[in-house]
Amino acid sequence: MLGNTESSRHTYGMGADVHGPDQEFLALERELAVFLRRARASSGEMAREVHPDLEPAAYGLLVRLDEAGPQRATELAGFFGVGKATMSRQLHALEDLGLVAREPDPADGRASLVRITAEGTTRFGRVRDARRESYVRKLAGWDRAEISELARLLHQLNAAAEG
């Protein structure tokens, strides 16, 4: 269970004699480092499954466009915390692969919106569904409440990072 202190101490290498407010943050840093390393590797695999030439970082753009719908490049850059040049390069690569397209922004004719194409939706959907099935298998021993709590805490962490 997530709330088991003794189990948490054992899992994170924190003995009962270890004191100090930083131990929880050191454990958090260690676990996030492992998680992020695995997530980057997984993102690369998923990107290649969408298209062999797709960069791992661009996979996240497909996730965002699929969830949020068409957006301006500047909105995407802000969401991911990257510069306009980086976003432009990634979007051009996705356009060249036929996975996204630009269309005029109805609210401002001088701007354009980036949207996922039908081909992008099909390819991305196939990989997303396989990823979801992988999560179901990996977390089969977890209680649904634990999965929900993990999602809630990750959302809270992401929201704090945005603000």
Side-chain angles (χ1 to χ4, degrees):
M1 299 290 285
L2 292 175
N4 186 330
T5 306
E6 289 303 313
S7 175
S8 297
R9 284 189 175 147
H10 175 72
T11 301
Y12 301 120
M14 299 175 353
D17 61 339
V18 175
H19 298 289
D22 291 339
Q23 290 304 310
E24 292 82 4
F25 291 101
L26 291 172
L28 175 64
E29 179 183 29
R30 183 174 46 252
E31 295 303 321
L32 281 175
V34 171
F35 178 78
L36 292 172
R37 188 171 43 249
R38 288 182 178 155
R40 276 191 292 275
S42 177
S43 185
E45 292 170 14
M46 290 183 293
R48 284 187 296 279
E49 289 178 30
V50 170
H51 193 285
D53 297 329
L54 185 62
E55 293 181 24
Y59 181 83
L61 288 170
L62 294 176
V63 172
R64 180 65 181 166
L65 290 170
D66 184 66
E67 290 177 353
Q71 295 191 332
R72 290 184 180 185
T74 54
E75 291 172 319
L76 290 166
F79 179 81
F80 287 105
V82 300
K84 291 178 187 177
T86 298
M87 183 55 56
S88 179
R89 183 182 58 76
Q90 290 178 351
L91 289 174
H92 282 297
L94 286 167
E95 281 181 290
D96 291 345
L97 296 174
L99 302 175
V100 302
R102 294 180 195 257
E103 58 191 26
D105 184 344
D108 181 353
R110 299 168 296 170
S112 64
L113 296 175
V114 180
R115 65 169 175 78
I116 192 168
T117 63
E119 177 72 12
T121 299
T122 299
R123 288 174 172 258
F124 170 73
R126 187 181 66 243
V127 174
R128 181 197 55 222
D129 292 346
R131 182 189 65 216
R132 192 171 296 130
E133 285 301 316
S134 173
Y135 289 152
V136 168
R137 284 191 306 277
K138 287 178 182 178
L139 302 177
W142 288 39
D143 183 275
R144 288 284 178 142
E146 290 175 320
I147 296 168
S148 178
E149 179 67 0
L150 177 59
R152 186 190 69 76
L153 291 170
L154 288 171
H155 175 75
Q156 187 175 332
L157 180 63
N158 286 329
E162 285 180 28

